[in-house]
Amino acid sequence: MIRRLQHKIVLIITLLLSISVVVLMLAINIMSQGQSTQRLRNTLENAAEADGLIITRSFDRLGEGSESWVLRVMLDFGNRMMRYDSNADTSSINSSALLLITNQVLESGDEFGYVDNLAYYAQDKSYGKLIVFTDATAEIRQNNNLLLITSIIGISSVLLFFLLSIALSFWLIRPVKETFDKQKQFISDASHELKTPLAVISANTDVLEAEIGENKWLGYIRSESVRMSELVNELLYLARIDDKTGKKLSMSKFDLSEAVLTTALPFESRMFEEGKNFDADVDENIFCEGDISAIKHVLTILIDNAIKYSGEKADISVSLKQHGNKKLLSVFNTGTGIKKEKLDKVFERFYREDEARNSKSGGYGLGLAIASEVVARHHGTIKCESEYGKWVKFTVTLP
């Protein structure tokens, strides 16, 4: 739980700061590209107004005023090339290539744009159309260099934010961790302390019953003692799971199919007595790496829940299937189901959807929390699906 909280803190801090950096870097690049585009456009507009004559840029790549290279192409109303010239040497200009570029400009229909490393501006004239070109290589290179630099800065910033958020998360969760550790210690100590008086109460109840015979008051004491013992055992199990320094899960390869059947089938007699229908659809030879006793405990919790929270003549089924490398273990039952807005809360500790119903059924809101923790320790997932008033299904996915 603490680790998941820490991961969320790291993710949120890194994500928020990263978004801020990305937005800033995008703004810088967009502004820079916009400014260079506007400078080129102004240059070409001035050239077009001067009918393509030699002009002087207000800014060039050296930051000083100088003549800009301008190539003008004059077209008649039929878009046929009348002539082309430049304020530089035109002997190196390939007329075929120029015609191809000019056709690309005409096809685009844009007044201003780029063709390869050339920026162009087209303007209608009394004789037809004038297209002026200028070299945009310097501006394109400048924008690409800025994009590269800001990308490096952005990636470095994200990595730095990630490392800082990890350090910050330790500081933020320290009070929560201390409180949680104290809570775990209290639950563990209290559970151990309660086991002895519960055993004494149970033993004395048996003695009294032997002396005075069966008595409904003694029956009440015995049933409540059993319920309290179950709660203490669940608390101790949860405390052992939370204690990372304590007993570890005994991980080994085992036959999951056999484990599911040996756990589920003993419940068949109980379901029969309660008038419920049971079905097991378990594929053979499915093996799993994990703690067999812990996985059996998860299945026991899910089946026990299905029996408790399903009415008479309910359908209960257990299924185990292999999908690629994943093992899907599901427990389904018809019944009242769970409301959609409460599906994400059923795995919380001590959460009970219906206090009256759960008190009657004997639940404490710990079973599904234990199942969730055990599955997480096996690097799997558990989810709950339900159609309220009709059915509920728990699915465990194991690697």
Side-chain angles (χ1 to χ4, degrees):
M1 182 182 294
I2 296 297
R3 182 169 295 179
R4 288 199 293 268
L5 176 61
Q6 185 178 9
H7 290 169
K8 287 182 180 179
I9 292 174
V10 171
L11 178 63
I12 291 172
I13 293 176
T14 304
L15 184 62
L16 290 177
L17 294 177
S18 298
I19 290 175
S20 300
V21 170
V22 169
V23 170
L24 178 61
M25 297 304 173
L26 283 175
I28 292 174
N29 280 275
I30 291 173
M31 289 176 60
S32 175
Q33 186 172 3
Q35 290 175 354
S36 62
T37 298
Q38 190 60 45
R39 286 197 297 268
L40 287 172
R41 186 184 182 102
N42 291 339
T43 298
L44 293 174
E45 283 183 356
N46 292 335
E49 291 296 332
D51 210 22
L53 299 178
I54 298 174
I55 63 166
T56 301
R57 273 187 180 176
S58 55
F59 299 98
D60 72 346
R61 69 194 66 175
L62 299 177
E64 299 176 353
S66 64
E67 288 187 348
S68 298
W69 175 83
V70 175
L71 168 67
R72 69 174 179 176
V73 177
M74 304 173 70
L75 307 173
D76 60 18
F77 288 104
N79 288 332
R80 293 182 294 270
M81 187 181 296
M82 297 167 53
R83 59 175 294 188
Y84 67 87
D85 53 22
S86 172
N87 57 357
D89 184 13
T90 60
S91 60
S92 61
I93 297 177
N94 186 315
S95 58
S96 299
L98 179 59
L99 182 61
L100 180 62
I101 293 173
T102 302
N103 288 333
Q104 291 180 22
V105 173
L106 294 173
E107 289 174 2
S108 70
D110 296 330
E111 185 181 57
F112 174 82
Y114 294 89
V115 178
D116 296 330
N117 290 335
L118 295 177
Y120 67 84
Y121 182 81
Q123 189 177 74
D124 293 331
K125 294 289 187 178
S126 58
Y127 49 80
K129 185 181 292 289
L130 172 66
I131 303 176
V132 288
F133 297 90
T134 191
D135 186 12
T137 303
E139 286 77 6
I140 294 174
R141 185 185 298 116
Q142 178 182 349
N143 290 330
N144 290 338
N145 290 337
L146 180 61
L147 179 61
L148 176 62
I149 293 171
T150 53
S151 298
I152 293 173
I153 293 175
I155 294 173
S156 302
S157 300
V158 170
L159 293 175
L160 178 61
F161 292 152
F162 176 72
L163 296 176
L164 290 176
S165 63
I166 292 176
L168 183 61
S169 67
F170 281 105
W171 177 75
L172 289 174
I173 68 170
R174 185 181 302 166
V176 179
K177 187 175 184 304
E178 291 176 355
T179 302
F180 188 67
D181 288 341
K182 290 178 181 178
Q183 182 192 66
K184 289 192 300 182
Q185 188 62 44
F186 170 76
I187 292 175
S188 179
D189 293 345
S191 300
H192 279 101
E193 292 298 324
L194 286 171
K195 288 181 72 70
T196 299
L198 285 172
V200 172
I201 291 172
S202 180
N204 280 277
T205 303
D206 292 337
V207 172
L208 283 172
E209 190 173 55
E211 290 188 1
I212 66 176
E214 290 187 5
N215 183 288
K216 68 175 182 178
W217 310 112
L218 292 178
Y220 295 154
I221 294 173
R222 178 179 287 106
S223 63
E224 292 304 313
S225 296
V226 171
R227 291 184 70 241
M228 184 61 70
S229 297
E230 291 175 353
L231 172 60
V232 169
N233 289 332
E234 286 186 343
L235 289 172
L236 284 173
Y237 194 92
L238 202 56
R240 285 195 294 269
I241 292 176
D242 287 334
D243 187 7
K244 301 298 188 292
T245 61
K247 183 180 178 181
K248 305 294 183 182
L249 294 176
S250 179
M251 309 296 276
S252 61
K253 190 173 183 179
F254 66 93
D255 190 336
L256 182 59
S257 301
E258 182 182 355
V260 170
L261 288 174
T262 55
T263 304
L265 293 180
F267 284 94
E268 191 171 10
S269 59
R270 177 180 167 188
M271 297 182 200
F272 178 77
E273 291 177 359
E274 297 185 16
K276 300 177 181 182
N277 304 312
F278 175 67
D279 178 63
D281 182 14
V282 177
D283 289 350
E284 297 180 350
N285 300 320
I286 296 180
F287 290 84
C288 178
E289 186 80 21
D291 188 316
I292 184 171
S293 62
I295 296 299
K296 284 185 173 182
H297 190 61
V298 170
L299 183 56
T300 299
I301 290 171
L302 297 179
I303 296 177
D304 188 58
N305 268 13
I307 296 174
K308 286 179 179 178
Y309 305 132
S310 59
E312 294 182 3
K313 298 182 180 180
D315 294 323
I316 299 175
S317 63
V318 175
S319 171
L320 176 65
K321 301 293 178 182
Q322 177 96 33
H323 287 271
N325 295 327
K326 303 293 183 181
K327 295 87 180 172
L328 301 183
L329 173 62
S330 62
V331 177
F332 170 90
N333 69 272
T334 57
T336 56
I338 302 171
K339 295 178 180 178
K340 185 177 181 180
E341 62 270 16
K342 296 183 178 181
L343 286 175
D344 57 342
K345 297 181 180 180
V346 295
F347 298 107
E348 295 179 2
R349 300 181 183 191
F350 301 105
Y351 175 78
R352 298 190 295 181
E353 183 184 7
D354 187 334
E355 292 292 333
R357 186 190 68 165
N358 282 275
S359 296
K360 182 179 179 180
S361 61
Y364 296 100
L366 287 175
L368 292 177
I370 291 173
S372 178
E373 290 291 339
V374 171
V375 172
R377 293 283 294 277
H378 283 79
H379 307 291
T381 59
I382 182 171
K383 68 176 182 178
C384 177
E385 302 170 278
S386 178
E387 184 176 351
Y388 186 65
K390 294 186 177 181
W391 57 267
V392 63
K393 179 181 179 182
F394 288 91
T395 302
V396 175
T397 304
L398 296 171

